[in-house]
CSV table of all heavy atoms in Angstrom, one decimal:
chain,number,residue,atom,x,y,z
A,1,CYS,N,-76.6,-44.7,141.9
A,1,CYS,CA,-77.8,-44.5,142.5
A,1,CYS,C,-77.9,-45.1,143.9
A,1,CYS,O,-78.8,-44.8,144.7
A,1,CYS,CB,-79.0,-44.9,141.7
A,1,CYS,SG,-79.2,-44.0,140.2
A,2,ARG,N,-77.1,-46.1,144.2
A,2,ARG,CA,-77.1,-46.8,145.5
A,2,ARG,C,-76.0,-46.4,146.4
A,2,ARG,O,-76.2,-46.2,147.6
A,2,ARG,CB,-77.0,-48.3,145.2
A,2,ARG,CG,-78.1,-48.9,144.5
A,2,ARG,CD,-77.9,-50.4,144.3
A,2,ARG,NE,-76.9,-50.5,143.3
A,2,ARG,CZ,-75.9,-51.5,143.4
A,2,ARG,NH1,-75.9,-52.3,144.4
A,2,ARG,NH2,-75.0,-51.6,142.5
A,3,ASP,N,-74.8,-46.2,145.9
A,3,ASP,CA,-73.6,-46.0,146.8
A,3,ASP,C,-73.7,-44.6,147.4
A,3,ASP,O,-73.8,-43.6,146.7
A,3,ASP,CB,-72.3,-46.2,145.9
A,3,ASP,CG,-72.2,-47.6,145.4
A,3,ASP,OD1,-72.9,-48.5,145.8
A,3,ASP,OD2,-71.3,-47.7,144.4
A,4,GLY,N,-73.5,-44.6,148.7
A,4,GLY,CA,-73.5,-43.3,149.4
A,4,GLY,C,-74.9,-42.8,149.8
A,4,GLY,O,-74.9,-41.7,150.4
A,5,PHE,N,-75.9,-43.5,149.5
A,5,PHE,CA,-77.3,-43.0,149.9
A,5,PHE,C,-77.9,-44.0,150.9
A,5,PHE,O,-77.6,-45.2,150.9
A,5,PHE,CB,-78.2,-43.0,148.6
A,5,PHE,CG,-77.8,-42.0,147.6
A,5,PHE,CD1,-77.1,-42.4,146.5
A,5,PHE,CD2,-78.1,-40.7,147.8
A,5,PHE,CE1,-76.7,-41.5,145.5
A,5,PHE,CE2,-77.7,-39.8,146.8
A,5,PHE,CZ,-77.0,-40.2,145.7
A,6,ASP,N,-78.7,-43.4,151.8
A,6,ASP,CA,-79.3,-44.2,152.9
A,6,ASP,C,-80.4,-45.0,152.3
A,6,ASP,O,-80.9,-44.8,151.2
A,6,ASP,CB,-79.7,-43.3,154.1
A,6,ASP,CG,-80.8,-42.3,153.7
A,6,ASP,OD1,-81.2,-42.3,152.5
A,6,ASP,OD2,-81.1,-41.5,154.5
A,7,GLU,N,-80.9,-46.0,153.1
A,7,GLU,CA,-81.9,-46.9,152.6
A,7,GLU,C,-83.2,-46.1,152.3
A,7,GLU,O,-83.9,-46.5,151.3
A,7,GLU,CB,-82.2,-48.0,153.7
A,7,GLU,CG,-83.2,-49.0,153.2
A,7,GLU,CD,-82.7,-49.8,152.0
A,7,GLU,OE1,-81.5,-50.1,151.9
A,7,GLU,OE2,-83.6,-50.1,151.2
A,8,ALA,N,-83.6,-45.1,153.0
A,8,ALA,CA,-84.8,-44.4,152.8
A,8,ALA,C,-84.8,-43.7,151.4
A,8,ALA,O,-85.8,-43.6,150.7
A,8,ALA,CB,-85.0,-43.3,153.9
A,9,THR,N,-83.6,-43.2,151.1
A,9,THR,CA,-83.4,-42.5,149.8
A,9,THR,C,-83.6,-43.5,148.6
A,9,THR,O,-84.2,-43.3,147.6
A,9,THR,CB,-82.1,-41.8,149.7
A,9,THR,OG1,-82.0,-40.9,150.8
A,9,THR,CG2,-81.9,-41.0,148.4
A,10,ARG,N,-82.9,-44.7,148.8
A,10,ARG,CA,-82.9,-45.7,147.7
A,10,ARG,C,-84.2,-46.5,147.6
A,10,ARG,O,-84.4,-47.2,146.7
A,10,ARG,CB,-81.8,-46.7,148.0
A,10,ARG,CG,-80.4,-46.1,147.9
A,10,ARG,CD,-79.4,-47.1,148.1
A,10,ARG,NE,-79.7,-48.0,149.2
A,10,ARG,CZ,-78.8,-48.4,150.1
A,10,ARG,NH1,-77.6,-48.0,150.0
A,10,ARG,NH2,-79.1,-49.2,151.1
A,11,GLU,N,-85.1,-46.3,148.6
A,11,GLU,CA,-86.3,-47.1,148.6
A,11,GLU,C,-87.2,-46.9,147.4
A,11,GLU,O,-87.4,-45.8,147.0
A,11,GLU,CB,-87.1,-46.8,149.9
A,11,GLU,CG,-88.3,-47.7,150.1
A,11,GLU,CD,-89.0,-47.4,151.4
A,11,GLU,OE1,-88.3,-47.1,152.4
A,11,GLU,OE2,-90.2,-47.6,151.5
A,12,GLY,N,-87.6,-48.0,146.7
A,12,GLY,CA,-88.4,-47.9,145.5
A,12,GLY,C,-87.6,-47.5,144.3
A,12,GLY,O,-88.2,-47.2,143.2
A,13,LEU,N,-86.3,-47.6,144.3
A,13,LEU,CA,-85.5,-47.3,143.1
A,13,LEU,C,-85.8,-48.2,142.0
A,13,LEU,O,-85.8,-49.4,142.1
A,13,LEU,CB,-84.0,-47.4,143.5
A,13,LEU,CG,-83.0,-47.0,142.4
A,13,LEU,CD1,-83.2,-45.5,142.0
A,13,LEU,CD2,-81.6,-47.2,143.0
A,14,SER,N,-86.2,-47.6,140.8
A,14,SER,CA,-86.6,-48.5,139.7
A,14,SER,C,-85.6,-48.4,138.5
A,14,SER,O,-85.3,-49.4,137.9
A,14,SER,CB,-88.0,-48.1,139.2
A,14,SER,OG,-88.0,-46.8,138.7
A,15,HIS,N,-85.1,-47.2,138.2
A,15,HIS,CA,-84.2,-47.1,137.0
A,15,HIS,C,-83.5,-45.7,137.1
A,15,HIS,O,-83.7,-45.0,138.1
A,15,HIS,CB,-85.0,-47.2,135.7
A,15,HIS,CG,-86.0,-46.2,135.4
A,15,HIS,ND1,-87.2,-46.2,136.0
A,15,HIS,CD2,-86.0,-45.1,134.6
A,15,HIS,CE1,-87.9,-45.1,135.6
A,15,HIS,NE2,-87.2,-44.4,134.8
A,16,HIS,N,-82.7,-45.4,136.1
A,16,HIS,CA,-82.0,-44.1,136.1
A,16,HIS,C,-82.2,-43.5,134.7
A,16,HIS,O,-82.6,-44.1,133.7
A,16,HIS,CB,-80.5,-44.3,136.3
A,16,HIS,CG,-79.8,-45.0,135.2
A,16,HIS,ND1,-79.7,-46.4,135.1
A,16,HIS,CD2,-79.1,-44.5,134.2
A,16,HIS,CE1,-79.0,-46.7,134.0
A,16,HIS,NE2,-78.7,-45.6,133.4
A,17,ARG,N,-81.9,-42.2,134.6
A,17,ARG,CA,-81.9,-41.4,133.4
A,17,ARG,C,-80.6,-40.6,133.4
A,17,ARG,O,-80.2,-40.1,134.4
A,17,ARG,CB,-83.1,-40.4,133.3
A,17,ARG,CG,-84.4,-41.0,133.3
A,17,ARG,CD,-85.5,-40.0,133.0
A,17,ARG,NE,-85.5,-39.0,134.1
A,17,ARG,CZ,-86.5,-38.6,134.8
A,17,ARG,NH1,-87.7,-39.0,134.5
A,17,ARG,NH2,-86.4,-37.7,135.7
A,18,SER,N,-80.0,-40.6,132.2
A,18,SER,CA,-78.8,-39.8,132.1
A,18,SER,C,-78.9,-38.9,130.9
A,18,SER,O,-79.6,-39.1,130.0
A,18,SER,CB,-77.5,-40.8,132.0
A,18,SER,OG,-77.7,-41.5,130.8
A,19,SER,N,-78.0,-37.8,131.0
A,19,SER,CA,-78.0,-36.8,129.9
A,19,SER,C,-76.6,-36.3,129.9
A,19,SER,O,-75.9,-36.1,130.9
A,19,SER,CB,-79.0,-35.7,130.2
A,19,SER,OG,-78.9,-34.7,129.3
A,20,TYR,N,-76.2,-36.0,128.7
A,20,TYR,CA,-74.9,-35.4,128.5
A,20,TYR,C,-74.9,-33.9,128.3
A,20,TYR,O,-73.9,-33.2,128.4
A,20,TYR,CB,-74.1,-36.0,127.3
A,20,TYR,CG,-74.0,-37.5,127.5
A,20,TYR,CD1,-74.7,-38.4,126.8
A,20,TYR,CD2,-73.1,-38.0,128.5
A,20,TYR,CE1,-74.5,-39.8,127.0
A,20,TYR,CE2,-73.0,-39.3,128.8
A,20,TYR,CZ,-73.7,-40.2,128.0
A,20,TYR,OH,-73.6,-41.6,128.2
A,21,LEU,N,-76.1,-33.3,128.0
A,21,LEU,CA,-76.3,-31.9,127.8
A,21,LEU,C,-77.7,-31.6,128.2
A,21,LEU,O,-78.6,-31.8,127.5
A,21,LEU,CB,-76.0,-31.4,126.4
A,21,LEU,CG,-75.8,-30.0,126.2
A,21,LEU,CD1,-74.6,-29.5,127.0
A,21,LEU,CD2,-75.6,-29.6,124.7
A,22,PRO,N,-78.0,-31.1,129.4
A,22,PRO,CA,-77.0,-30.8,130.5
A,22,PRO,C,-76.6,-32.1,131.1
A,22,PRO,O,-77.2,-33.2,131.0
A,22,PRO,CB,-77.8,-30.0,131.5
A,22,PRO,CG,-79.3,-30.4,131.2
A,22,PRO,CD,-79.3,-30.8,129.8
A,23,LEU,N,-75.5,-32.1,131.8
A,23,LEU,CA,-74.9,-33.2,132.5
A,23,LEU,C,-75.8,-33.6,133.7
A,23,LEU,O,-76.2,-32.8,134.5
A,23,LEU,CB,-73.5,-32.9,133.1
A,23,LEU,CG,-72.5,-32.6,132.1
A,23,LEU,CD1,-71.2,-32.1,132.8
A,23,LEU,CD2,-72.1,-33.9,131.3
A,24,ARG,N,-76.2,-34.9,133.7
A,24,ARG,CA,-77.0,-35.4,134.8
A,24,ARG,C,-77.0,-36.9,134.8
A,24,ARG,O,-76.9,-37.5,133.7
A,24,ARG,CB,-78.3,-34.8,134.9
A,24,ARG,CG,-79.3,-35.3,133.9
A,24,ARG,CD,-80.7,-34.7,134.2
A,24,ARG,NE,-81.6,-35.5,133.4
A,24,ARG,CZ,-82.5,-34.9,132.5
A,24,ARG,NH1,-82.6,-33.7,132.4
A,24,ARG,NH2,-83.3,-35.7,131.9
A,25,PHE,N,-77.2,-37.5,135.9
A,25,PHE,CA,-77.4,-38.9,136.1
A,25,PHE,C,-78.5,-39.0,137.2
A,25,PHE,O,-78.1,-39.0,138.4
A,25,PHE,CB,-76.1,-39.7,136.4
A,25,PHE,CG,-76.3,-41.2,136.3
A,25,PHE,CD1,-76.0,-41.8,135.1
A,25,PHE,CD2,-76.6,-42.0,137.4
A,25,PHE,CE1,-76.1,-43.2,134.9
A,25,PHE,CE2,-76.7,-43.3,137.2
A,25,PHE,CZ,-76.5,-43.9,136.0
A,26,ASP,N,-79.7,-39.1,136.8
A,26,ASP,CA,-80.8,-39.1,137.8
A,26,ASP,C,-81.3,-40.5,138.1
A,26,ASP,O,-81.4,-41.3,137.2
A,26,ASP,CB,-82.0,-38.3,137.3
A,26,ASP,CG,-81.7,-36.8,137.1
A,26,ASP,OD1,-80.8,-36.3,137.8
A,26,ASP,OD2,-82.3,-36.1,136.3
A,27,CYS,N,-81.7,-40.7,139.4
A,27,CYS,CA,-82.2,-42.0,139.8
A,27,CYS,C,-83.7,-41.8,140.0
A,27,CYS,O,-84.2,-40.9,140.7
A,27,CYS,CB,-81.5,-42.3,141.2
A,27,CYS,SG,-79.7,-42.3,141.1
A,28,VAL,N,-84.5,-42.7,139.4
A,28,VAL,CA,-85.9,-42.6,139.4
A,28,VAL,C,-86.5,-43.7,140.3
A,28,VAL,O,-86.1,-44.9,140.2
A,28,VAL,CB,-86.5,-42.7,138.0
A,28,VAL,CG1,-88.0,-42.5,138.0
A,28,VAL,CG2,-85.8,-41.7,137.1
A,29,ARG,N,-87.4,-43.3,141.2
A,29,ARG,CA,-88.1,-44.3,142.0
A,29,ARG,C,-89.4,-44.7,141.4
A,29,ARG,O,-89.9,-44.1,140.4
A,29,ARG,CB,-88.5,-43.6,143.4
A,29,ARG,CG,-87.3,-43.3,144.2
A,29,ARG,CD,-87.7,-42.7,145.6
A,29,ARG,NE,-86.6,-42.1,146.3
A,29,ARG,CZ,-86.4,-40.8,146.3
A,29,ARG,NH1,-87.2,-40.0,145.8
A,29,ARG,NH2,-85.3,-40.4,147.0
A,30,ASP,N,-90.1,-45.8,141.9
A,30,ASP,CA,-91.3,-46.3,141.4
A,30,ASP,C,-92.4,-45.3,141.3
A,30,ASP,O,-93.2,-45.3,140.4
A,30,ASP,CB,-91.8,-47.5,142.2
A,30,ASP,CG,-90.9,-48.7,142.1
A,30,ASP,OD1,-90.3,-48.9,141.0
A,30,ASP,OD2,-90.8,-49.5,143.0
A,31,ASP,N,-92.4,-44.4,142.3
A,31,ASP,CA,-93.5,-43.3,142.3
A,31,ASP,C,-93.2,-42.2,141.4
A,31,ASP,O,-94.0,-41.2,141.3
A,31,ASP,CB,-93.7,-42.8,143.8
A,31,ASP,CG,-92.5,-42.1,144.3
A,31,ASP,OD1,-91.5,-42.0,143.6
A,31,ASP,OD2,-92.6,-41.7,145.5
A,32,GLY,N,-92.1,-42.2,140.6
A,32,GLY,CA,-91.8,-41.1,139.7
A,32,GLY,C,-90.9,-40.0,140.2
A,32,GLY,O,-90.5,-39.2,139.5
A,33,SER,N,-90.7,-40.0,141.5
A,33,SER,CA,-89.8,-39.0,142.1
A,33,SER,C,-88.3,-39.3,141.7
A,33,SER,O,-88.0,-40.5,141.4
A,33,SER,CB,-89.9,-39.0,143.6
A,33,SER,OG,-89.6,-40.2,144.2
A,34,VAL,N,-87.6,-38.3,141.7
A,34,VAL,CA,-86.2,-38.4,141.1
A,34,VAL,C,-85.2,-37.7,142.1
A,34,VAL,O,-85.5,-36.8,142.8
A,34,VAL,CB,-86.1,-37.6,139.8
A,34,VAL,CG1,-84.7,-37.6,139.2
A,34,VAL,CG2,-87.1,-38.2,138.8
A,35,TYR,N,-84.0,-38.3,142.2
A,35,TYR,CA,-82.9,-37.7,143.0
A,35,TYR,C,-81.7,-37.8,142.1
A,35,TYR,O,-81.5,-38.8,141.4
A,35,TYR,CB,-82.8,-38.3,144.4
A,35,TYR,CG,-82.4,-39.7,144.4
A,35,TYR,CD1,-81.0,-40.1,144.6
A,35,TYR,CD2,-83.3,-40.8,144.4
A,35,TYR,CE1,-80.7,-41.4,144.7
A,35,TYR,CE2,-83.0,-42.1,144.5
A,35,TYR,CZ,-81.6,-42.4,144.6
A,35,TYR,OH,-81.3,-43.7,144.7
A,36,SER,N,-80.8,-36.9,142.3
A,36,SER,CA,-79.5,-36.9,141.5
A,36,SER,C,-78.5,-37.8,142.2
A,36,SER,O,-78.4,-37.8,143.4
A,36,SER,CB,-79.0,-35.4,141.4
A,36,SER,OG,-77.8,-35.4,140.7
A,37,SER,N,-77.8,-38.5,141.3
A,37,SER,CA,-76.8,-39.4,141.9
A,37,SER,C,-75.6,-38.6,142.4
A,37,SER,O,-74.8,-39.1,143.2
A,37,SER,CB,-76.3,-40.4,140.8
A,37,SER,OG,-75.7,-39.8,139.8
A,38,ASN,N,-75.4,-37.4,141.9
A,38,ASN,CA,-74.3,-36.5,142.2
A,38,ASN,C,-74.7,-35.1,142.1
A,38,ASN,O,-74.9,-34.6,141.0
A,38,ASN,CB,-73.1,-36.8,141.3
A,38,ASN,CG,-71.8,-36.1,141.7
A,38,ASN,OD1,-71.8,-35.2,142.5
A,38,ASN,ND2,-70.7,-36.5,141.1
C-alpha cells in the first residue's frame, strides 16, 4: 500500500483488505476510501 504511491495517495492510510476470490489487495484510508495496491 506504500511502495510506488505518492504521499497524497498514502495520506490517511489505516489498514488493508485482501481477498483471494476475487483477487485483490485493497488499501483503506481513515475516511473509508479505498485504492488498489495493484
Side-chain angles (χ1 to χ4, degrees):
C1 293
R2 292 179 292 140
D3 299 344
F5 293 101
D6 60 3
E7 186 61 37
T9 303
R10 295 184 314 226
E11 189 173 326
L13 183 61
S14 64
H15 63 283
H16 72 274
R17 293 187 301 227
S18 61
S19 171
Y20 300 110
L21 196 60
L23 295 168
R24 72 173 196 235
F25 193 87
D26 293 335
C27 307
V28 183
R29 295 184 190 101
D30 291 328
D31 63 1
S33 61
V34 176
Y35 65 94
S36 178
S37 67
N38 188 346

